Amino acid sequence: MSTSPHEAPIATEQYRRRWQMLAFLGIAQLMLIIDVTVVALALPQIGSDLELSRSALTWVVSIYALVFGGLMLLGGKAADVFGSRKVVLVGLAVFTIASLLTGFASDPVTLLVGRGLQGLGAAAMSPAALSVIARTFAGAELAKALGVWSALGGAGAALGVLLGGLLTSGPGWSWVFWINVPIGVVLFVALHRTVPKLSGGGGALDWLGAALVTLSTASVIYGLVAAGEAGWLTPVVLLSFLAGAIGYALFAWRQRVARAPLIDLGMLARRPVAAGLGLIFVATALMIAVFFLGSFIFQRVHAFSALDTGLVFLPVAIGTIAGAQVGGRTIPRMGLRTIAVTGLLITALGLTAAAAILSMTVLVIAMSVAAFGIGMVFVAASTSMFTAVAPHEAGVGSGALSTMHEFGAATGVSAVSSVAAAALVGSAFTAYNLALWFGVVVAVLAAVAAVLVVPRRTRAAQ
């Protein structure tokens, strides 16, 4: 079996354990995604036990997202340089140890350091794991494998809410983090045995470029998170965006002059790559908006408990999984553009029903339909990306895709929360209703753009 990163992906018939490996990588990725939302329901108890201020509580969530999103491009490049398998295992080990540390936290500093280290491990493991998939599967099997991977987004968000409620109301908030430890140990052993030895291309990391893109990404994500609370035109938000823009400009200059650039900027100009990045951004923004708005509507309008809300979101998670599976299996026959546009229109249809009909039952069904469409868009985004990058670019391509995922999440929350806050002039549902209509408009406009931008077919679809 060849392990040169400059050669084609591993022939699927030569690696019979590829689907078993995919299952373990999927569980690992699910653990990372769950960790974004599982903490939300534990925050009140954490704040009470550790006597955290309101700003400190916000940072318990934000620091994970900032480090995770800011370092993913570096994690992807590290996979290309040192080998995807090594980076997956190192990232998983860091995440597991950090989870143990965070669970034992007895003061704010330890808690925040632990959350930051969790983000560091996740930023290494997530793009490297996606790189392994891109280099192990090929053709129609790649689309199916990416369908499995894409299904984890919505499922992880919903399971995180449910698991957070169960653990917090049961053994306590520390187990929100400690539950990752036995799972991480088992996964480390399983991945060590099943992931093939995909060597890296060697060379060095562009540390200056990495610092610029990390700080720039963190600055933009911070601005997006702050915009939802402070407002889009406040000084802190505008300065964050300005700092991010200046940092990205310096990063682009650095990539043109560096001997070993972190990313080939020409790769981002390829039509399928640009389309994939745009689709993942929109799909994630819409998905997070569904969970964000749904959580508030169920709890504040329909008076559900946090645990009940988590249970109600299970059909939404199933919708995402089903949509990603359908998308992954039908892309080879129907084409990439058809799946992307259809998914966005289905999402718009679901959000329209949620906005137009004031009914709890309709809301659950409508959000599940929207999630089905979003799942289709997720797999279209990753398929578009990975059929347009070479094997030696798979890591950095994964990092770019994952970074846009984080951008989409932060943008979705800040945008819908701003729309809902601005509409608080009548009943509570009126505010959320306007935000749902905003999601409909975004989905329709994205569908129109997809018709013009997304390629009709890719190599995986032929």
Side-chain angles (χ1 to χ4, degrees):
M1 182 188 304
S2 173
T3 57
S4 172
H6 296 277
E7 295 178 3
I10 296 173
T12 54
E13 64 272 10
Q14 293 182 9
Y15 191 61
R16 300 184 182 279
R17 303 176 73 182
R18 60 192 180 278
W19 294 106
Q20 183 182 5
M21 176 203 72
L22 177 64
F24 291 133
L25 288 175
I27 295 172
Q29 175 69 4
L30 188 64
M31 184 170 64
L32 303 187
I33 297 173
I34 286 176
D35 218 65
V36 177
T37 56
V38 72
V39 178
L41 293 182
L43 282 179
Q45 191 179 104
I46 294 174
S48 177
D49 289 354
L50 301 185
E51 299 181 351
L52 300 181
S53 65
R54 182 177 179 180
S55 60
L57 277 175
T58 302
W59 275 107
V60 173
V61 177
S62 298
I63 195 169
Y64 180 80
L66 288 174
V67 177
F68 191 4
L71 289 176
M72 273 195 286
L73 191 59
L74 177 61
K77 182 62 176 180
D80 290 337
V81 172
F82 302 116
S84 303
R85 182 176 185 269
K86 292 180 181 178
V87 178
V88 164
L89 295 175
V90 170
L92 178 58
V94 171
F95 182 85
T96 303
I97 295 171
S99 297
L100 182 66
L101 171 68
T102 309
F104 278 114
S106 58
D107 59 85
V109 174
T110 305
L111 181 70
L112 294 178
V113 168
R115 287 292 283 167
L117 290 174
Q118 279 188 306
L120 175 64
M125 191 183 77
S126 183
L130 193 50
S131 174
V132 169
I133 294 171
R135 292 179 60 188
T136 307
F137 293 88
E141 280 201 346
L142 175 61
K144 293 179 182 178
L146 292 175
V148 173
W149 184 265
S150 301
L152 302 174
L159 291 175
V161 174
L162 177 60
L163 191 61
L166 289 172
L167 293 175
T168 303
S169 60
W173 66 263
S174 292
W175 283 95
V176 166
F177 305 106
W178 284 341
I179 194 173
N180 294 327
V181 178
I183 297 174
V185 171
V186 172
L187 285 175
F188 187 92
V189 175
L191 291 174
H192 188 272
R193 294 179 176 178
T194 57
V195 177
K197 294 182 179 180
L198 299 167
S199 62
L205 291 176
D206 176 18
W207 290 106
L208 177 57
L212 287 171
V213 74
T214 297
L215 293 175
S216 301
T217 302
S219 179
V220 173
I221 290 178
Y222 177 80
L224 290 169
V225 171
E229 295 185 0
W232 288 87
L233 299 180
T234 53
V236 64
V237 173
L238 294 177
L239 287 175
S240 295
F241 289 158
L242 178 61
I246 294 173
Y248 279 127
L250 292 173
F251 172 72
W253 165 80
R254 172 63 183 176
Q255 297 314 288
R256 296 184 184 280
V257 301
R259 289 186 177 181
L262 197 62
I263 186 173
D264 177 11
L265 296 179
M267 184 186 80
L268 301 179
R270 299 171 197 165
R271 184 180 173 189
V273 172
L277 294 176
L279 287 173
I280 198 71
F281 176 86
V282 173
T284 307
L286 290 171
M287 172 57 72
I288 296 300
V290 166
F291 279 100
F292 179 84
L293 292 172
S295 179
F296 276 90
I297 294 172
F298 286 128
Q299 293 185 68
R300 293 191 177 179
V301 177
H302 297 291
F304 276 30
S305 68
L307 183 57
D308 290 338
T309 301
L311 290 170
V312 169
F313 271 126
L314 287 180
V316 182
I318 293 172
T320 308
I321 295 171
Q325 289 302 300
V326 170
R329 294 179 181 277
T330 55
I331 280 178
R333 297 196 308 272
M334 300 181 64
L336 184 62
R337 183 189 302 167
T338 300
I339 296 302
V341 174
T342 301
L344 288 166
L345 292 178
I346 291 174
T347 302
L349 178 64
L351 292 176
T352 297
I357 304 173
L358 180 55
S359 164
M360 183 189 69
T361 303
V362 171
L363 181 65
V364 174
I365 296 173
M367 287 189 168
S368 300
V369 170
F372 182 91
I374 291 170
M376 295 178 67
V377 181
F378 272 137
V379 71
S382 51
T383 302
S384 182
M385 163 69 78
F386 289 114
T387 53
V389 298
H392 69 278
E393 301 172 317
V396 74
S398 302
L401 197 69
S402 299
T403 300
M404 291 304 291
H405 184 281
E406 293 302 306
F407 274 157
T411 303
V413 169
S414 60
V416 297
S417 62
S418 297
V419 172
L424 287 175
V425 293
S427 67
F429 185 74
T430 301
Y432 305 126
N433 179 271
L434 184 59
L436 288 168
W437 282 117
F438 175 75
V440 173
V441 172
V442 170
V444 171
L445 291 177
V448 173
V451 173
L452 303 175
V453 176
V454 178
R456 185 178 299 276
R457 289 189 176 272
T458 64
R459 290 192 299 271
Q462 294 175 350

